[in-house]
Amino acid sequence: MKNCRLLILGLVIAVVSMGFVSIAAAGPIVIKFSHVVAENTPKGQMANKFKALAEKRLPGKVVVEVFPNSQLFGDNKVLEAMLLGDVQMACPSLSKFKKYTKVLQLYDLPFLFKDMDAVGRFQQGPYGQKMLSSLESKGLIGLGYLHNGLKQLSSNSPLRVPADAKGKKFRIMSSDVLAAQFEAVGAMPLKKPFSEVFTLLQTKAIDGQENTWSNIYSKKFYEVQPYITESNHGLLDYMVITSAQFWKGLPADVRTELKKCLDEAIAFGNKVSAEKAIADRQKIIDSKRSEIVELTPAQRQQWVAKMKPVWKKFEGQIGKDYIDAAIAANK
Ligand code: SIN
């Protein structure tokens, strides 16, 4: 009798624990979304919008955990972490993929796109779309592009002509094109993570950096940089990335819905980016902490003349047809 009771108890425990296992296995899919910027930026707002849409449309099926401000991973580690399954989505700057593909270097070429509409036209065209799959051989999938905007040059002294940058140290993202761009004006580029930029500027370990209005504002670079040259010389744009293993392993209906949510979140983020380029610039002017240096057409032409030869240096790695397609998008 005692043995019989023990057997029943054993069976109950087994059934309950099997049930538990199956409940746990049927629990929501958790998507960790890691990024390095503040929440009040185009990328921060896009990620939060994606979370809101995905959790509303796939209730109980998907949970999105957003980690801003490099809380989970910096951009130099996030792609490795993704391949290990420690994070499922990220949105690094296109300047940070050098280890994985060379073609994306196109987006760092100085003075390539005349404005953000041209960037959008190029990205929606065949070359831009092809670039989304340039990471597939490395196990990563590009799900879409997100804009931040055009970059400006901030510094501890006014930069009007290229000679003003000579001998100065500038923080750059991990891009050889950006290194070549600063070397072309006799400056010293230093590849450093985004999370370190404010301290490097504040302690005067570096003289300047390049970034968009929203990053300069949200990370308070303008408080420690008395001059910002409105150069619009380069682009800061992003790719939303996931791992092929994670994405292809999702149930088809969930994957389709997530992609729709992401497309909507990106459209929202792009609207935010256009608004912030104007609003954050104005907030910096109003703060009176930093003076905006406007270039005359002749001064701007000097920067173009010095920096544009960088294109030739990287043409072989990027592909001339890609560069030509980008130029064509300006028309
Ligand atoms: C970002 O906008 O994601 C960071 C850009 C940077 O590293 O300067």
Side-chain angles (χ1 to χ4, degrees):
M1 185 65 184
K2 196 175 166 208
N3 279 352
C4 186
R5 270 208 215 122
L6 279 177
L7 186 64
I8 291 170
L9 185 65
L11 279 173
V12 169
I13 290 170
V15 168
V16 168
S17 58
M18 274 167 63
F20 175 75
V21 167
S22 80
I23 287 165
I29 296 158
V30 177
I31 300 177
K32 290 189 182 159
F33 193 135
S34 170
H35 68 82
V36 299
V37 291
E39 288 190 279
N40 62 343
T41 56
K43 182 160 49 181
Q45 295 206 31
M46 181 278 287
N48 290 347
K49 182 75 160 182
F50 172 66
K51 172 182 168 65
L53 291 173
E55 291 181 354
K56 184 167 169 218
R57 301 214 185 130
L58 295 163
K61 289 191 181 172
V62 166
V63 169
V64 182
E65 297 173 354
V66 180
F67 298 88
N69 292 313
S70 312
Q71 275 166 17
L72 193 59
F73 294 106
D75 279 338
N76 50 347
K77 287 272 177 306
V78 74
L79 297 180
E80 282 164 39
M82 189 170 278
L83 291 171
L84 292 171
D86 294 336
V87 59
Q88 286 68 43
M89 286 173 92
C91 188
S93 153
L94 294 170
S95 313
K96 296 180 181 172
F97 288 98
K98 166 189 102 172
K99 263 171 47 190
Y100 296 83
T101 177
K102 299 282 183 228
V103 72
L104 294 177
Q105 294 181 117
L106 170 113
Y107 290 103
D108 284 338
L109 296 178
F111 298 104
L112 178 61
F113 293 105
K114 73 169 189 195
D115 54 29
M116 294 309 294
D117 287 344
V119 176
R121 277 193 294 274
F122 173 76
Q123 289 177 338
Q124 293 319 311
Y127 283 91
Q129 289 298 300
K130 202 156 56 164
M131 288 163 117
L132 286 174
S133 37
S134 61
L135 302 151
E136 274 182 15
S137 65
K138 303 288 187 310
L140 297 167
I141 294 180
L143 295 173
Y145 294 104
L146 173 74
H147 301 328
N148 187 318
L150 295 175
K151 289 183 288 188
Q152 321 302 333
L153 286 168
S154 77
S155 176
N156 53 18
S157 61
L159 303 174
R160 293 196 172 85
V161 291
D164 296 333
K166 196 158 185 248
K168 288 188 173 285
K169 290 188 198 137
F170 286 87
R171 176 271 173 173
I172 55 164
M173 294 181 270
S174 55
S175 152
D176 292 345
V177 179
L178 298 180
Q181 167 197 279
F182 278 101
E183 281 159 6
V185 296
M188 286 183 275
L190 287 143
K191 292 176 183 167
K192 293 284 179 190
F194 188 58
S195 54
E196 291 177 23
V197 181
F198 181 85
T199 307
L200 289 167
L201 294 171
Q202 189 184 38
T203 58
K204 305 215 176 348
I206 55 173
D207 301 295
Q209 62 85 46
E210 52 165 18
N211 234 304
T212 57
W213 292 114
S214 87
N215 278 352
I216 294 172
Y217 179 70
S218 61
K219 287 292 174 189
K220 303 192 186 327
F221 299 161
Y222 71 100
E223 293 187 358
V224 287
Q225 290 275 267
Y227 299 96
I228 303 172
T229 297
E230 188 159 34
S231 50
N232 290 318
H233 65 281
L235 171 71
L236 175 55
D237 219 83
Y238 308 112
M239 196 184 278
V240 181
I241 292 290
T242 188
S243 86
Q245 196 184 7
F246 168 73
W247 193 247
K248 291 182 179 162
L250 289 171
D253 57 331
V254 171
R255 188 168 53 235
T256 305
E257 194 57 48
L258 282 176
K259 181 67 168 67
K260 278 194 208 152
C261 295
L262 184 66
D263 289 346
E264 278 184 52
I266 287 177
F268 171 75
N270 284 342
K271 195 165 156 285
V272 171
S273 79
E275 287 162 6
K276 281 203 157 283
I278 298 166
D280 289 351
R281 175 184 182 276
Q282 191 56 46
K283 286 181 193 158
I284 292 171
I285 294 172
D286 295 345
S287 77
K288 300 194 171 34
R289 301 288 292 263
S290 195
E291 185 186 316
I292 311 277
V293 177
E294 286 177 30
L295 299 176
T296 65
Q299 287 169 337
R300 192 164 196 275
Q301 194 44 47
Q302 286 194 46
W303 291 93
V304 175
K306 285 279 182 198
M307 288 180 165
K308 218 168 148 178
V310 165
W311 294 19
K312 257 282 165 278
K313 216 171 150 185
F314 290 89
E315 191 182 276
Q317 291 180 32
I318 295 167
K320 188 171 179 319
D321 49 340
Y322 280 83
I323 299 176
D324 289 344
I327 296 168
N330 284 326
K331 289 171 196 135

